Amino acid sequence: MTTLLAQAPEQLSRAELLADDPLWLILIKAVVILLIGPVMTIGLIVWERKAVGRMQNRPGPNRVGPGGYLQSLADALKLPFKEQIIPDSADRKVYFLAPVISAVPALIGLSPIPFGPEVTIFGERTVLQLIELPVSVLVVLATSAIGVYGLVLAGWSSGSPYPLLGGLRSAAQVISYEIAMGLSILGVALYSQSLSTGEIVEAQQGGWYFYLLLPSFVIFLISMVGETNRAPFDLPEAESELVGGFHTEYSSMKFAMFFLAEYVNMVIVSSFCTTLFLGGWMAPWPLSTIGDGVLNTGFWPLLWFFGKVFLLLFGFIWLRGTLPRFRYDQFMKLGWKVLVPVGLVWFLLIAAIRAIRNDAEVTTGQILVVGGVTIVLLVLLTLLLPEKEIKDSDAVPITGGGYPVPPLDLKVPDTTPRRKALKAKAKASKQEPAAVGSGKDSGDE
């Protein structure tokens, strides 16, 4: 493989450079990939508690370590030594397997993500990526989806009604929002003409996809919140409804594995979103123009990549501190009646635009102008449409919960017929004379 490098040092693709990596370099990359999730989880938990505390005008964790920043590390050391309680009604094999199914895919989900361009590590030319496949996008999508099956199995195997409901919600959630996420990725695949994460990043040199494919970007953002069971889509946990949801019967290290999987999945989907829509490791404008793109070489791209990831992670925290939990019917309606139809229509529109552009040689700027004018005209037409006249009706209005609303002129009577009858009966019993006995027991007669 070293001979290959010597023959054509400038013509190797990312996949060929990765194939040329020696074993020791592959092991270093694998260890780093496995540690990124847990290390970021420890910092992310403290950051989230501090940020939400700031939003709610309270200090947050402030006891363990300087400023309370070692609280997550203390929790990580404490959880393995907690008492482990296993329900008698649990299916023990599946009960033990469920946390593993959730945690393991989360730990390997970052392997196809490109963290940077070509670099030199200890004299070896390589790229900051572990694996590069023609279908790397599907690998990341699969790892983020498989973890949800651990939640489903955890709810079923616990032998308790509340975890079972949480597991069923997880099953519905992964079906609903995985479809919407897949539809949003199709637009990226059409524009980049590839499902390789490295090629998708390189295709964004002419423009990042978050503004070229804005509807896909918005759908992906909403779907990735639903995929990770984060507020306001944390229906599988829902402590106000299901005690603790799918992990109600879990404790000790098994609970810690679910906790780890949730936060690592947040890192995975944020990295995935950065790769698909935010230019991956490329520096933002105008930094990308400095020194003829010198900030897009070497190890500088690591800074831009993780900066974008932390920005998306803060979005998760902001949502948790801002929005209340959705009702389950609202959650399903958003997935099936809003995101999926919009994703389908947008995908068809992208396919039509690509076909027109390839045949008629229309530029992206012209397409954006025509699309913007069309959207403005549609908005104006909707504003010009006459409002629907609402006829007065004697029917009782119904709220979202299905319960009738009392009329505004409701008069509560002082008493009810039943209360009148009870008062009359009590009054009659007081007026009846006491019965006088004969002085003999009935058994003596």
Side-chain angles (χ1 to χ4, degrees):
M1 299 301 267
T2 308
T3 307
L4 178 63
L5 279 176
Q7 291 175 349
E10 301 297 334
Q11 299 178 1
L12 297 181
S13 64
R14 296 181 67 92
E16 290 171 339
L17 284 171
L18 289 174
D20 191 67
D21 284 346
L23 180 60
W24 60 267
L25 185 56
I26 295 174
L27 292 176
I28 291 176
K29 288 183 178 181
V31 171
V32 171
I33 291 293
L34 290 175
L35 290 179
I36 286 177
V39 171
M40 289 188 66
T41 297
I42 293 176
L44 185 59
I45 293 172
V46 176
W47 182 28
E48 178 176 8
R49 295 176 66 180
K50 286 281 189 181
V52 174
R54 181 76 173 177
M55 294 175 187
Q56 299 173 350
N57 196 24
R58 56 184 178 81
N62 57 2
R63 297 293 181 184
V64 183
Y69 284 99
L70 296 181
Q71 181 65 57
S72 293
L73 185 60
D75 293 340
L77 295 174
K78 176 190 69 175
L79 277 172
F81 298 101
K82 299 277 285 185
E83 182 182 3
Q84 182 175 243
I85 301 173
I86 303 175
D88 291 336
S89 57
D91 186 323
R92 286 180 172 261
K93 293 182 180 178
V94 183
Y95 181 85
F96 278 88
L97 189 62
V100 179
I101 295 177
S102 292
V104 171
L107 294 176
I108 64 175
L110 290 174
S111 54
I113 299 294
F115 295 96
E118 181 181 330
V119 295
T120 301
I121 300 178
F122 300 121
E124 289 287 339
R125 288 179 58 204
T126 183
V127 289
L128 296 177
Q129 187 176 354
L130 182 59
I131 60 172
E132 173 72 355
L133 301 172
V135 290
S136 297
V137 169
L138 300 183
V139 174
V140 182
L141 199 63
T143 55
S144 64
I146 288 175
V148 184
Y149 290 100
L151 312 188
V152 178
L153 294 175
W156 175 80
S157 64
S158 295
S160 182
Y162 288 128
L164 178 60
L165 288 175
L168 293 175
R169 288 183 175 185
S170 296
Q173 189 161 322
V174 68
I175 294 171
S176 304
Y177 285 81
E178 196 75 17
I179 295 174
M181 182 179 285
L183 290 174
S184 67
I185 295 173
L186 287 178
V188 176
L190 279 178
Y191 256 74
S192 62
Q193 299 293 309
S194 175
L195 286 175
S196 169
T197 51
E199 294 180 5
I200 288 174
V201 174
E202 293 174 358
Q204 296 181 63
Q205 292 180 358
W208 295 1
Y209 289 156
F210 83 92
Y211 66 88
L212 293 176
L213 302 172
L214 184 59
S216 295
F217 179 57
V218 174
I219 293 173
F220 189 92
L221 287 179
I222 299 173
S223 300
M224 76 180 194
V225 178
E227 279 285 305
T228 51
N229 301 328
R230 293 284 300 182
F233 299 148
D234 54 342
L235 276 304
E237 300 177 30
E239 65 275 0
S240 61
E241 307 165 23
L242 305 179
V243 185
F246 63 91
H247 58 65
T248 299
E249 303 294 348
Y250 281 87
S251 60
S252 187
M253 193 59 190
K254 297 181 182 60
F255 173 77
M257 292 178 72
F258 281 123
F259 209 69
L260 175 67
E262 176 181 333
Y263 280 87
V264 174
N265 278 325
M266 289 170 55
V267 177
I268 290 174
V269 294
S270 298
S271 302
F272 198 31
C273 183
T274 299
T275 301
L276 295 178
F277 296 99
L278 300 180
W281 44 263
M282 289 190 291
W285 186 90
L287 296 177
S288 59
T289 61
I290 297 176
D292 197 19
V294 68
L295 295 180
N296 280 332
T297 59
F299 289 92
W300 279 105
L302 284 176
L303 179 62
W304 318 131
F305 183 88
F306 283 104
K308 300 169 188 177
V309 170
F310 282 125
L311 182 64
L312 293 172
L313 290 174
F314 180 73
F316 281 100
I317 299 172
W318 200 350
L319 286 177
R320 180 172 183 175
T322 306
L323 298 180
R325 181 181 295 119
F326 275 42
R327 285 201 324 265
Y328 195 68
D329 59 325
Q330 295 172 332
F331 174 71
M332 286 289 105
K333 181 179 179 181
L334 177 64
W336 288 105
K337 294 187 177 181
V338 178
L339 297 183
V340 172
V342 171
L344 282 171
V345 172
W346 176 242
F347 171 64
L348 293 176
L349 184 61
I350 293 174
I353 290 174
R354 294 291 295 179
I356 294 173
R357 184 176 177 180
N358 292 336
D359 294 338
E361 297 182 355
V362 181
T363 64
T364 303
Q366 294 173 340
I367 293 174
L368 291 176
V369 170
V370 174
V373 171
T374 305
I375 292 173
V376 171
L377 292 176
L378 290 175
V379 172
L380 292 177
L381 286 176
T382 55
L383 293 176
L384 293 175
L385 291 175
E387 295 184 2
K388 183 179 180 181
E389 296 182 0
I390 302 176
K391 298 180 179 180
D392 294 333
S393 176
D394 296 332
V396 178
I398 303 297
T399 63
Y403 298 99
V405 178
L408 298 177
D409 57 348
L410 176 65
K411 294 182 180 179
V412 181
D414 296 332
T415 184
T416 61
R418 177 172 175 78
R419 188 174 296 175
K420 287 181 180 180
L422 292 175
K423 287 183 178 179
K425 184 177 180 180
K427 187 176 181 181
S429 62
K430 290 180 180 179
Q431 293 178 353
E432 290 180 0
V436 179
S438 60
K440 295 182 179 180
D441 295 332
S442 57
D444 298 336
E445 295 178 0

